[in-house]
Coordinates of all heavy atoms in Angstrom, one line a residue:
M18 N 74.2 81.3 117.2 CA 75.0 82.0 116.2 C 76.0 81.1 115.5 O 76.7 80.4 116.2 CB 75.6 83.3 116.7 CG 74.6 84.4 117.0 SD 75.3 86.0 117.4 CE 76.6 86.2 116.2
K19 N 76.1 81.3 114.3 CA 77.1 80.4 113.6 C 78.2 81.3 113.1 O 78.0 82.3 112.5 CB 76.3 79.8 112.4 CG 77.2 78.9 111.5 CD 76.3 78.2 110.5 CE 76.1 78.9 109.3 NZ 75.7 78.1 108.2
V20 N 79.4 80.8 113.4 CA 80.6 81.6 113.0 C 81.3 80.8 111.9 O 81.8 79.8 112.1 CB 81.5 81.8 114.2 CG1 82.8 82.5 113.7 CG2 80.8 82.5 115.3
T21 N 81.3 81.5 110.7 CA 82.1 80.9 109.6 C 82.9 81.9 109.0 O 82.5 83.1 109.0 CB 81.1 80.3 108.5 OG1 80.2 81.3 108.1 CG2 80.3 79.1 109.1
A22 N 84.0 81.6 108.5 CA 84.9 82.5 107.8 C 84.4 82.7 106.4 O 84.2 81.7 105.7 CB 86.3 82.0 107.8
E23 N 84.2 83.9 106.1 CA 83.7 84.2 104.7 C 84.9 84.4 103.8 O 85.9 85.0 104.2 CB 82.9 85.5 104.8 CG 82.3 85.9 103.4 CD 81.6 87.2 103.4 OE1 81.7 87.9 104.4 OE2 81.1 87.6 102.3
V24 N 84.8 83.7 102.7 CA 85.9 83.8 101.7 C 85.4 84.4 100.5 O 84.4 84.0 99.9 CB 86.5 82.4 101.4 CG1 87.6 82.5 100.4 CG2 87.0 81.8 102.7
V25 N 86.0 85.5 100.0 CA 85.5 86.2 98.8 C 86.7 86.3 97.8 O 87.9 86.2 98.2 CB 85.0 87.6 99.1 CG1 83.8 87.5 100.0 CG2 86.0 88.5 99.7
N26 N 86.4 86.5 96.6 CA 87.4 86.8 95.6 C 87.5 88.3 95.5 O 86.5 89.0 95.4 CB 87.1 86.2 94.3 CG 87.2 84.7 94.3 OD1 88.2 84.1 94.8 ND2 86.2 84.0 93.8
G27 N 88.7 88.8 95.5 CA 88.9 90.2 95.3 C 90.3 90.5 94.9 O 91.2 89.7 95.0
K28 N 90.5 91.8 94.5 CA 91.9 92.1 94.1 C 92.6 92.8 95.3 O 92.1 93.8 95.8 CB 91.8 93.1 92.9 CG 93.2 93.4 92.4 CD 93.1 94.3 91.2 CE 94.6 94.6 90.7 NZ 94.6 95.5 89.6
C29 N 93.6 92.3 95.6 CA 94.4 92.8 96.8 C 95.2 94.0 96.3 O 95.9 93.9 95.4 CB 95.3 91.7 97.3 SG 96.4 92.3 98.6
P30 N 95.0 95.1 97.0 CA 95.8 96.3 96.7 C 97.2 96.3 97.1 O 98.1 97.0 96.6 CB 95.1 97.5 97.4 CG 94.5 96.8 98.6 CD 94.1 95.4 98.2
T31 N 97.6 95.4 97.9 CA 98.9 95.3 98.4 C 99.8 94.5 97.4 O 100.9 94.9 97.1 CB 99.0 94.6 99.8 OG1 98.2 95.4 100.7 CG2 100.4 94.5 100.3
C32 N 99.3 93.3 97.0 CA 100.1 92.5 96.0 C 99.6 92.6 94.6 O 100.1 91.9 93.7 CB 100.2 91.1 96.6 SG 98.6 90.2 96.6
S33 N 98.5 93.3 94.4 CA 97.9 93.5 93.1 C 97.5 92.1 92.4 O 97.4 92.0 91.2 CB 98.9 94.2 92.2 OG 99.1 95.5 92.7
E34 N 97.2 91.2 93.2 CA 96.7 89.9 92.7 C 95.2 89.7 92.9 O 94.7 90.1 94.0 CB 97.5 88.7 93.4 CG 98.9 88.7 93.1 CD 99.2 88.2 91.7 OE1 98.4 87.5 91.1 OE2 100.3 88.5 91.2
L35 N 94.6 89.1 92.0 CA 93.2 88.7 92.2 C 93.2 87.4 92.9 O 93.7 86.4 92.4 CB 92.5 88.5 90.8 CG 91.0 88.4 90.9 CD1 90.3 89.6 91.5 CD2 90.4 88.1 89.5
T36 N 92.8 87.4 94.2 CA 93.0 86.3 95.0 C 91.9 86.1 96.0 O 90.9 86.8 95.9 CB 94.4 86.5 95.8 OG1 94.6 85.3 96.6 CG2 94.3 87.7 96.7
M37 N 92.0 85.1 96.9 CA 91.0 84.9 97.9 C 91.2 85.7 99.1 O 92.4 85.8 99.6 CB 90.9 83.4 98.3 CG 90.4 82.5 97.1 SD 89.8 81.0 97.8 CE 91.3 80.3 98.5
L38 N 90.2 86.3 99.6 CA 90.3 87.1 100.8 C 89.4 86.4 101.9 O 88.2 86.2 101.6 CB 89.8 88.5 100.5 CG 90.4 89.2 99.3 CD1 89.7 90.6 99.1 CD2 91.9 89.5 99.6
V39 N 90.0 86.2 103.0 CA 89.2 85.6 104.1 C 88.7 86.6 105.1 O 89.5 87.5 105.5 CB 90.1 84.6 104.8 CG1 89.4 83.9 106.0 CG2 90.6 83.5 103.9
G40 N 87.4 86.6 105.3 CA 86.9 87.6 106.2 C 87.3 87.3 107.7 O 87.0 86.2 108.2
L41 N 87.8 88.3 108.3 CA 88.1 88.2 109.7 C 87.0 88.8 110.6 O 86.6 88.2 111.6 CB 89.4 89.0 110.1 CG 90.7 88.5 109.2 CD1 91.8 89.4 109.6 CD2 91.0 87.1 109.5
T42 N 86.5 89.9 110.1 CA 85.3 90.5 110.7 C 84.4 90.9 109.5 O 84.7 90.6 108.3 CB 85.6 91.7 111.5 OG1 86.0 92.8 110.7 CG2 86.7 91.4 112.6
N43 N 83.4 91.7 109.8 CA 82.5 92.2 108.7 C 83.3 93.1 107.8 O 82.9 93.3 106.6 CB 81.3 92.9 109.2 CG 80.3 91.9 109.7 OD1 80.3 90.7 109.4 ND2 79.4 92.3 110.6
E44 N 84.3 93.8 108.3 CA 85.0 94.8 107.5 C 86.4 94.5 107.2 O 87.1 95.2 106.5 CB 84.9 96.1 108.3 CG 83.5 96.6 108.5 CD 83.5 97.9 109.4 OE1 84.5 98.2 110.0 OE2 82.5 98.6 109.4
L45 N 86.9 93.5 107.9 CA 88.3 93.2 107.8 C 88.6 91.8 107.1 O 88.0 90.8 107.4 CB 89.0 93.1 109.2 CG 90.5 93.4 109.3 CD1 90.8 94.8 108.7 CD2 90.9 93.2 110.7
Y46 N 89.4 91.9 106.0 CA 89.7 90.7 105.2 C 91.2 90.5 105.2 O 91.9 91.5 105.2 CB 89.1 90.8 103.8 CG 87.6 90.7 103.8 CD1 86.8 91.7 104.2 CD2 87.0 89.5 103.4 CE1 85.4 91.6 104.2 CE2 85.6 89.3 103.4 CZ 84.8 90.4 103.8 OH 83.5 90.3 103.8
R47 N 91.6 89.3 105.0 CA 93.0 89.0 104.9 C 93.3 88.3 103.5 O 92.6 87.4 103.2 CB 93.5 88.1 106.0 CG 95.0 87.7 105.9 CD 95.5 87.2 107.2 NE 95.5 88.3 108.2 CZ 95.6 88.0 109.5 NH1 95.8 86.8 109.9 NH2 95.6 89.0 110.4
C48 N 94.3 88.9 102.8 CA 94.7 88.3 101.5 C 95.4 87.0 101.8 O 96.3 86.9 102.6 CB 95.6 89.3 100.9 SG 96.4 88.7 99.4
M49 N 94.9 86.0 101.0 CA 95.5 84.7 101.1 C 96.9 84.6 100.4 O 97.6 83.7 100.6 CB 94.6 83.6 100.5 CG 93.3 83.4 101.3 SD 93.7 82.8 103.0 CE 94.0 81.1 102.6
N50 N 97.1 85.6 99.5 CA 98.3 85.5 98.7 C 99.5 86.1 99.5 O 100.6 85.5 99.6 CB 98.1 86.3 97.4 CG 99.3 86.1 96.5 OD1 99.7 85.0 96.2 ND2 99.8 87.2 96.0
C51 N 99.3 87.3 100.0 CA 100.5 88.0 100.7 C 100.2 88.2 102.2 O 101.1 88.6 102.9 CB 100.7 89.4 100.1 SG 99.4 90.6 100.3
G52 N 99.0 87.9 102.7 CA 98.8 88.0 104.1 C 98.4 89.3 104.6 O 98.3 89.5 105.8
A53 N 98.2 90.3 103.7 CA 97.9 91.7 104.2 C 96.5 91.7 104.7 O 95.6 91.1 104.1 CB 98.1 92.7 103.0
D54 N 96.3 92.5 105.7 CA 94.9 92.8 106.2 C 94.3 93.9 105.4 O 94.9 95.0 105.2 CB 94.9 93.1 107.7 CG 95.3 91.9 108.5 OD1 95.1 90.8 108.0 OD2 95.7 92.1 109.6
L55 N 93.1 93.7 104.9 CA 92.4 94.7 104.1 C 91.1 95.1 104.7 O 90.4 94.3 105.3 CB 92.1 94.1 102.7 CG 93.3 93.5 102.0 CD1 92.9 92.8 100.7 CD2 94.4 94.5 101.7
E56 N 90.8 96.4 104.6 CA 89.5 96.9 105.1 C 88.6 97.0 103.9 O 88.9 97.6 102.9 CB 89.7 98.3 105.7 CG 88.5 98.9 106.3 CD 88.7 100.2 106.9 OE1 89.9 100.6 107.0 OE2 87.8 100.9 107.2
Q57 N 87.4 96.4 104.1 CA 86.4 96.4 103.1 C 85.6 97.7 103.1 O 85.1 98.1 104.2 CB 85.4 95.2 103.2 CG 84.4 95.1 102.1 CD 83.4 94.1 102.4 OE1 82.7 94.1 103.4 NE2 83.3 93.1 101.5
R58 N 85.5 98.4 102.0 CA 84.7 99.6 102.0 C 83.6 99.4 100.9 O 83.9 99.0 99.8 CB 85.5 100.8 101.5 CG 86.6 101.3 102.6 CD 85.9 102.0 103.7 NE 86.9 102.4 104.8 CZ 87.7 103.4 104.7 NH1 87.7 104.2 103.6 NH2 88.5 103.7 105.7
V59 N 82.4 99.6 101.3 CA 81.3 99.5 100.4 C 80.6 100.8 100.1 O 80.0 101.4 101.0 CB 80.2 98.5 100.9 CG1 79.1 98.3 99.9 CG2 80.9 97.1 101.2
N60 N 80.8 101.4 98.9 CA 80.1 102.6 98.6 C 79.8 102.5 97.1 O 80.6 103.0 96.3 CB 80.8 103.9 98.9 CG 82.3 103.8 98.5 OD1 82.7 102.9 97.8 ND2 83.0 104.8 98.9
G61 N 78.8 101.8 96.7 CA 78.5 101.6 95.3 C 79.1 100.3 94.8 O 78.5 99.4 94.3
K62 N 80.4 100.2 95.1 CA 81.1 98.9 94.8 C 82.1 98.6 96.0 O 82.4 99.5 96.8 CB 81.9 99.1 93.5 CG 83.0 100.1 93.6 CD 84.0 100.0 92.4 CE 85.2 100.9 92.6 NZ 86.3 100.6 91.7
I63 N 82.4 97.4 96.0 CA 83.3 97.0 97.1 C 84.8 97.2 96.8 O 85.2 96.8 95.7 CB 83.1 95.5 97.4 CG1 81.6 95.3 97.9 CG2 84.0 95.0 98.5 CD1 81.3 93.8 98.1
T64 N 85.4 97.9 97.6 CA 86.9 98.1 97.4 C 87.6 97.6 98.7 O 87.0 97.6 99.7 CB 87.2 99.5 97.1 OG1 86.8 100.4 98.2 CG2 86.6 100.0 95.8
Y65 N 88.8 97.3 98.5 CA 89.6 96.9 99.6 C 90.8 97.8 99.8 O 91.5 98.1 98.9 CB 90.1 95.4 99.4 CG 89.0 94.4 99.3 CD1 88.5 94.1 98.1 CD2 88.4 93.9 100.5 CE1 87.4 93.2 98.0 CE2 87.3 93.0 100.4 CZ 86.8 92.7 99.1 OH 85.8 91.8 99.1
L66 N 91.0 98.2 101.0 CA 92.1 99.1 101.3 C 93.0 98.4 102.3 O 92.6 97.7 103.2 CB 91.6 100.4 102.0 CG 90.6 101.2 101.2 CD1 90.1 102.4 102.0 CD2 91.3 101.8 99.9
P67 N 94.3 98.6 102.1 CA 95.2 98.0 103.1 C 95.1 98.7 104.5 O 94.9 99.9 104.5 CB 96.6 98.3 102.5 CG 96.4 99.2 101.4 CD 95.0 99.3 101.1
T68 N 95.0 97.9 105.5 CA 94.9 98.5 106.8 C 96.4 98.7 107.3 O 97.3 98.0 107.1 CB 94.2 97.6 107.8 OG1 94.9 96.4 107.9 CG2 92.8 97.3 107.3
M69 N 96.5 99.8 108.1 CA 97.8 100.1 108.7 C 97.7 100.1 110.2 O 96.9 100.9 110.8 CB 98.3 101.5 108.2 CG 98.5 101.5 106.7 SD 99.0 103.1 106.1 CE 98.6 102.9 104.4
S70 N 98.3 99.2 110.8 CA 98.3 99.1 112.2 C 99.0 100.3 112.8 O 100.1 100.7 112.4 CB 98.9 97.8 112.7 OG 100.2 97.6 112.1
S71 N 98.4 100.9 113.8 CA 99.1 102.0 114.4 C 100.3 101.6 115.3 O 100.2 100.5 115.9 CB 98.1 102.8 115.3 OG 97.1 102.0 115.8
P72 N 101.3 102.3 115.2 CA 102.5 102.0 116.0 C 102.2 101.9 117.5 O 101.5 102.7 118.0 CB 103.5 103.1 115.7 CG 102.9 103.7 114.4 CD 101.5 103.6 114.5
K73 N 102.8 100.9 118.1 CA 102.6 100.8 119.6 C 103.7 101.4 120.4 O 103.6 101.5 121.6 CB 102.4 99.3 119.9 CG 101.2 98.7 119.3 CD 101.2 97.2 119.5 CE 100.0 96.6 118.8 NZ 100.2 95.2 118.3
D74 N 104.8 101.7 119.7 CA 106.0 102.2 120.5 C 106.2 103.7 120.3 O 107.3 104.1 120.6 CB 107.2 101.4 120.1 CG 107.4 101.4 118.6 OD1 106.6 102.1 117.9 OD2 108.4 100.8 118.1
G75 N 105.2 104.4 119.8 CA 105.4 105.8 119.7 C 106.2 106.2 118.4 O 106.5 107.4 118.2
A76 N 106.4 105.3 117.5 CA 107.0 105.6 116.3 C 106.1 106.5 115.4 O 104.9 106.5 115.6 CB 107.4 104.4 115.5
T77 N 106.7 107.2 114.5 CA 106.0 108.1 113.6 C 105.1 107.3 112.7 O 105.6 106.3 112.0 CB 106.9 109.0 112.8 OG1 107.8 109.6 113.7 CG2 106.1 110.0 111.9
P78 N 103.8 107.6 112.6 CA 102.9 106.8 111.7 C 103.4 107.0 110.2 O 104.0 108.0 109.9 CB 101.6 107.5 111.8 CG 101.6 108.1 113.1 CD 103.1 108.5 113.4
F79 N 103.3 105.9 109.5 CA 103.8 105.9 108.1 C 103.0 106.9 107.3 O 103.6 107.6 106.4 CB 103.6 104.5 107.5 CG 104.1 104.4 106.1 CD1 105.5 104.4 105.9 CD2 103.3 104.2 105.1 CE1 106.0 104.3 104.6 CE2 103.7 104.1 103.8 CZ 105.1 104.1 103.5
V80 N 101.7 107.0 107.5 CA 100.9 107.9 106.7 C 100.4 109.0 107.6 O 99.6 108.7 108.6 CB 99.8 107.2 105.9 CG1 98.8 108.3 105.3 CG2 100.3 106.3 104.9
K81 N 100.7 110.2 107.4 CA 100.2 111.3 108.3 C 98.9 111.9 107.7 O 98.1 112.3 108.4 CB 101.3 112.4 108.4 CG 102.4 112.0 109.3 CD 103.3 113.1 109.5 CE 104.4 112.8 110.6 NZ 105.3 113.9 110.9
E82 N 98.9 112.0 106.4 CA 97.7 112.6 105.7 C 97.3 111.7 104.6 O 98.2 111.1 103.9 CB 98.1 114.0 105.2 CG 98.4 115.0 106.3 CD 98.7 116.4 105.8 OE1 98.4 116.6 104.6 OE2 99.2 117.2 106.5
W83 N 96.0 111.7 104.4 CA 95.5 110.9 103.3 C 94.9 111.8 102.3 O 93.9 112.4 102.5 CB 94.5 109.8 103.8 CG 94.1 108.9 102.7 CD1 93.0 109.1 101.9 CD2 94.7 107.6 102.4 NE1 93.0 108.0 101.0 CE2 93.9 107.1 101.3 CE3 95.7 106.9 102.9 CZ2 94.2 105.9 100.8 CZ3 96.0 105.7 102.4 CH2 95.3 105.2 101.3
N84 N 95.6 112.0 101.1 CA 95.0 112.8 100.1 C 94.5 112.0 98.9 O 95.2 111.1 98.4 CB 96.1 113.8 99.6 CG 96.6 114.7 100.7 OD1 95.8 115.2 101.4 ND2 97.9 114.8 100.8
E85 N 93.3 112.3 98.5 CA 92.7 111.5 97.4 C 93.1 112.2 96.1 O 93.0 113.4 96.0 CB 91.2 111.4 97.6 CG 90.8 110.8 98.9 CD 90.1 109.5 98.6 OE1 89.8 109.2 97.4 OE2 89.8 108.8 99.6
Ligands
ZN126 ZN1 97.8 90.5 98.8

C-alpha cells in the first residue's frame, strides 16, 4: 500500500479562502491557509465542513444543536 497525502483545491469554510487542502484521511482535510481541520462531505458535490473536536475536560460543547 502506498501512502501519499492528497492535496486538493477547495474553499475553506473557516477562513473563506480558496486554498489547498491536505488530506489527512479519506474524509478529513486540513486547510493550508488557516490550519483548520475540515470534514469532506460528498453528496452530489464536495463540500467541506469545519470539524469540531469534542471537549476532553467536560466543558460544554460549542454547538449543541445543528439546524440547517
Ligand atoms: Zn482555512
Side-chain angles (χ1 to χ4, degrees):
M18 287 188 47
K19 180 169 90 161
V20 178
T21 55
E23 185 186 3
V24 179
V25 300
N26 289 313
K28 186 177 182 186
C29 173
T31 302
C32 63
S33 299
E34 293 286 337
L35 192 62
T36 183
M37 290 200 300
L38 308 172
V39 178
L41 304 176
T42 71
N43 284 341
E44 297 175 347
L45 202 61
Y46 287 78
R47 178 163 293 165
C48 173
M49 292 296 285
N50 188 52
C51 69
D54 290 338
L55 308 173
E56 184 180 348
Q57 185 188 59
R58 292 283 177 82
V59 182
N60 48 9
K62 64 170 190 165
I63 298 176
T64 58
Y65 298 94
L66 302 174
T68 61
M69 297 178 198
S70 51
S71 31
K73 294 171 185 152
D74 56 1
T77 306
F79 181 70
V80 173
K81 288 186 172 182
E82 295 179 12
W83 186 270
N84 296 318
E85 300 244 356

